[in-house]
Amino acid sequence: MSWNYRKRIKIIPGVHLNFSKNGISTSIGFKGASLNFGKNGTYLNTSIPGTGLYNRQKLSGNNSNNQPENIEVQQPILEDNIFSADIQEITSQDLQGIKEAILGAHDQRQELNNDLFKIKSTLAKTKFKLAASYIFLYGIINKTIKESYKSDIVAQKDAIKQLQEQISNCYVNFEIEFDDEIKQKYEKVVSTFKQLISCHKIWDVTSANYQDTRVTRSAAGTVVQKREVRFGIKSLPDVKSTYEPLWFKNANGADLYFFPNFIIMYSTRTKFAVIGLEELEFYNSYTRFVETGTVPRDTKIIDKTWAKVNKNGTPDKRFKGNYQIPIVRYGEIKLRTKTGLNEEYEFSNYEFTEEFAKSFKDYQDTISRLNQINK
């Protein structure tokens, strides 16, 4: 009646990134296998420990433009038209290995949780059997039955403890090392990002449509729909890193998590994309916004207009009760990739937006140069 538990040996992948003047080296691996990114492509290396057998398989062979100035106004009801492509199509080819590593860690965690559930169920049954042996006296008459149940309970509790420890350690670990100069650039990105998230208001712009100002008699040439969102520094399930990612909330799609060398566009634990930082087209500018609502406390009013205005800026006197409206300056960031990423954000503090954009572009240019060294 003894109970046996065969301990599973789980392979938890790890990712090591090294940023130096000689380029960026990235390896993903565990015992018997690794994934390496180099100047000649991406290779999967596999071996069987102790046999000498080895196989190597080839897997795969910055913009800073400002957008033109425009005056915008918010409209509450419009069909969304600023959104990214299907998340399953956005992953960079050379970063597919990182995605597979994260998926592998997720699958392992699922299997371990299934094992844990089964053993807990077995433990409950064993405890019931032990209690029944006392109630119906057969455990007192035959002491070997009682001792067998007790032995099984000890083993099952030990198995549960082992599984819980494995689950707590079941994640992809991003180990990141920087040269001092590159580290300083990245830390500048993080510090300006922390300043950026202190903006009174952050919006995800979900649609933008041009309008004929001659017809609407408005100073705004673009009508936008936007939703207030939050940014922050936030970890991802199944992933740990020496540097926590910068989190961009997405109002109408998958959130963005910025790591030092790539972005994870994350919807669920099994539905996400990994995008190389050098592929990102990062635009920053400012927008003159006709603010019909409350002006955020950290926003500067740079001009005024009228609810109904003539082309020369004077109030249209045909409309009774015409009133003045402030024009403010908001910071703007647009994110694009050729694979389909398409997001746009506005920030109430233009200066904070500009400082973050400057440090991010400087770091991105550095990463692009390092990647060129490996090609």
PDB file of all heavy atoms in Angstrom, residues 45 53 264 325:
ATOM      1  N   ASN A  45      21.901  25.017 -30.973  1.00  0.00           N
ATOM      2  CA  ASN A  45      22.921  24.012 -30.681  1.00  0.00           C
ATOM      3  C   ASN A  45      22.345  22.977 -29.733  1.00  0.00           C
ATOM      4  O   ASN A  45      21.830  23.329 -28.680  1.00  0.00           O
ATOM      5  CB  ASN A  45      24.142  24.675 -30.022  1.00  0.00           C
ATOM      6  CG  ASN A  45      24.623  25.882 -30.798  1.00  0.00           C
ATOM      7  OD1 ASN A  45      24.820  25.809 -31.989  1.00  0.00           O
ATOM      8  ND2 ASN A  45      24.781  27.004 -30.103  1.00  0.00           N
ATOM      9  N   LEU A  53      27.848  13.603 -28.913  1.00  0.00           N
ATOM     10  CA  LEU A  53      27.040  13.921 -30.085  1.00  0.00           C
ATOM     11  C   LEU A  53      26.610  15.387 -30.026  1.00  0.00           C
ATOM     12  O   LEU A  53      26.184  15.878 -28.990  1.00  0.00           O
ATOM     13  CB  LEU A  53      25.808  13.019 -30.146  1.00  0.00           C
ATOM     14  CG  LEU A  53      26.103  11.519 -30.286  1.00  0.00           C
ATOM     15  CD1 LEU A  53      24.803  10.731 -30.250  1.00  0.00           C
ATOM     16  CD2 LEU A  53      26.851  11.241 -31.592  1.00  0.00           C
ATOM     17  N   ILE A 264       8.393  43.096 -25.387  1.00  0.00           N
ATOM     18  CA  ILE A 264       7.409  42.028 -25.373  1.00  0.00           C
ATOM     19  C   ILE A 264       6.035  42.678 -25.419  1.00  0.00           C
ATOM     20  O   ILE A 264       5.669  43.456 -24.536  1.00  0.00           O
ATOM     21  CB  ILE A 264       7.546  41.131 -24.134  1.00  0.00           C
ATOM     22  CG1 ILE A 264       8.891  40.396 -24.175  1.00  0.00           C
ATOM     23  CG2 ILE A 264       6.391  40.126 -24.067  1.00  0.00           C
ATOM     24  CD1 ILE A 264       9.119  39.452 -23.009  1.00  0.00           C
ATOM     25  N   ILE A 325     -11.537  78.906 -25.970  1.00  0.00           N
ATOM     26  CA  ILE A 325     -11.064  77.578 -25.566  1.00  0.00           C
ATOM     27  C   ILE A 325      -9.541  77.608 -25.535  1.00  0.00           C
ATOM     28  O   ILE A 325      -8.909  78.148 -26.451  1.00  0.00           O
ATOM     29  CB  ILE A 325     -11.528  76.498 -26.559  1.00  0.00           C
ATOM     30  CG1 ILE A 325     -13.046  76.476 -26.667  1.00  0.00           C
ATOM     31  CG2 ILE A 325     -11.022  75.120 -26.136  1.00  0.00           C
ATOM     32  CD1 ILE A 325     -13.554  75.526 -27.743  1.00  0.00           C
TER      33      ILE A 325
END
